[in-house]
Amino acid sequence: MKPQNPRRNTRQREAIRDVLLSANRPLAPQEVVGLVRSTVPSLGIATVYRTLKEYVEDGWLVPITVAGSIRYELAQMEHHHHFYCRSCDKTYSLPGCTGELSRLLPSGFVMSSHDLTINGLCPSCSEAPSG
Amino acid sequence: MKPQNPRRNTRQREAIRDVLLSANRPLAPQEVVGLVRSTVPSLGIATVYRTLKEYVEDGWLVPITVAGSIRYELAQMEHHHHFYCRSCDKTYSLPGCTGELSRLLPSGFVMSSHDLTINGLCPSCSEAPSG
DNA sequence: ATCGGTGCAAAGGGTTTGCAGGGTA
DNA sequence: TACCCTGCAAACCCTTTGCACCGAT
């Protein structure tokens, strides 16, 4: 749409990029703020939202919705699904896919994509069950 | 938790119950307001939110999240999944299930449930493609 | 020296809550 | 009549936007 002006390198952007690269799982904006503030304490939440959207526009991140809230993950990944830990609220990526789904479609429905979320307990939380 | 006081029958609650019964698909709060106002024009949005939560507490409805926003469907249904139409934003129920998913779980993850959403075009929208 | 980026604070959109009046039982 | 329910408006939470200052180029 609009011609992208050149992006500048700032401490904030580098730090946001780094936490997403090293997280190995999708991160919510609040998680990004928490992780980045150890490096850049003054980081404003607005900067996080703006930067995440920027990275999506750039094609480097993709937004996903899990358990009703948005998370961002690296765009380069191949088709996969997600695990949501109902204890710690973290989201993980799961390699692999369910396979054939078209048999679930009544006639008239046209499928373009699908999303699968498995809910449960992640390794940390299943070791030491809560409550 | 708290002892349920007896529920009163009001025009609002009956109308909200009726649209959910006749919709045959999960409804978002805004959809409920729109549908009920043809019967009860004065209906306030707060009443809709309160009543929907009440029905969930009563075990008559269950909340589901599709495409990042909440919808409510009848609780009595057997295990099934959902279809999200990216053109008209409506959600539909799809009978059937994907089958075996545990092969997607890396060790240490414990599955308690799963949710599958197929995205695409519903019959109405695939007949007359938009734009 | 530019002018894009940042942080703060205010604005938005959806959902929840407080309260006084209304309606069911 | 008692008190639950409703509608309005304010409060909330998360996200976006406006604006003046900061800082990368």
Side-chain angles (χ1 to χ4, degrees):
Chain A
M1 293 300 169
K2 63 181 177 186
Q4 304 286 332
N5 295 307
R7 299 267 152 91
R8 292 179 180 177
N9 294 326
T10 64
R11 281 182 313 139
Q12 288 85 343
R13 282 180 188 164
E14 288 178 5
I16 291 170
R17 181 200 61 205
D18 290 348
V19 299
L20 281 152
L21 279 173
S22 57
N24 288 318
R25 60 184 186 82
L27 295 180
Q30 293 297 345
E31 290 179 299
V32 174
V33 177
L35 292 167
V36 172
R37 280 196 175 144
S38 61
T39 307
V40 187
S42 66
L43 182 71
I45 185 72
T47 297
V48 172
Y49 281 105
R50 278 186 290 234
T51 304
L52 291 173
K53 294 190 78 169
E54 226 177 66
Y55 283 153
V56 171
E57 289 168 17
D58 294 348
W60 186 66
L61 291 181
V62 291
I64 62 169
T65 297
V66 173
S69 52
I70 201 164
R71 332 260 171 158
Y72 292 83
E73 68 180 353
L74 305 188
Q76 72 207 14
M77 303 177 73
E78 51 186 83
H79 180 71
H80 65 283
H81 293 298
H82 298 101
F83 185 96
Y84 172 71
C85 178
R86 56 183 168 72
S87 175
C88 65
D89 198 51
K90 290 195 181 78
T91 298
Y92 301 83
S93 298
L94 298 179
C97 182
T98 56
E100 186 54 32
L101 292 175
S102 55
R103 63 188 175 75
L104 294 180
L105 286 181
S107 72
F109 287 85
V110 178
M111 167 165 44
S112 60
S113 66
H114 68 276
D115 301 297
L116 172 71
T117 302
I118 296 182
N119 309 286
L121 296 177
C122 73
S124 310
C125 295
S126 61
E127 276 175 10
S130 68
Chain B
M1 293 301 170
K2 63 182 175 187
Q4 304 285 332
N5 295 308
R7 300 270 152 89
R8 292 181 179 177
N9 293 324
T10 64
R11 281 183 311 139
Q12 289 84 344
R13 282 179 189 166
E14 289 179 3
I16 291 171
R17 182 199 60 203
D18 290 348
V19 300
L20 281 152
L21 279 173
S22 58
N24 288 316
R25 61 185 186 80
L27 296 180
Q30 292 297 344
E31 290 179 298
V32 174
V33 178
L35 291 166
V36 173
R37 281 198 174 142
S38 61
T39 307
V40 187
S42 66
L43 182 71
I45 185 74
T47 298
V48 172
Y49 281 104
R50 277 186 291 233
T51 303
L52 291 173
K53 293 190 79 168
E54 224 177 66
Y55 284 152
V56 171
E57 288 169 17
D58 293 347
W60 186 65
L61 291 181
V62 290
I64 61 170
T65 298
V66 173
S69 52
I70 201 164
R71 331 259 172 160
Y72 293 84
E73 68 179 353
L74 305 188
Q76 72 205 16
M77 303 177 73
E78 52 187 83
H79 181 70
H80 64 284
H81 293 298
H82 299 100
F83 185 95
Y84 172 72
C85 179
R86 56 181 168 73
S87 175
C88 66
D89 198 50
K90 290 194 180 77
T91 299
Y92 301 84
S93 297
L94 298 179
C97 182
T98 55
E100 187 54 31
L101 292 175
S102 55
R103 61 187 177 74
L104 294 179
L105 286 181
S107 72
F109 287 85
V110 178
M111 168 164 45
S112 60
S113 66
H114 68 276
D115 301 297
L116 172 70
T117 301
I118 297 182
N119 309 286
L121 296 176
C122 72
S124 311
C125 294
S126 60
E127 276 175 7
S130 68

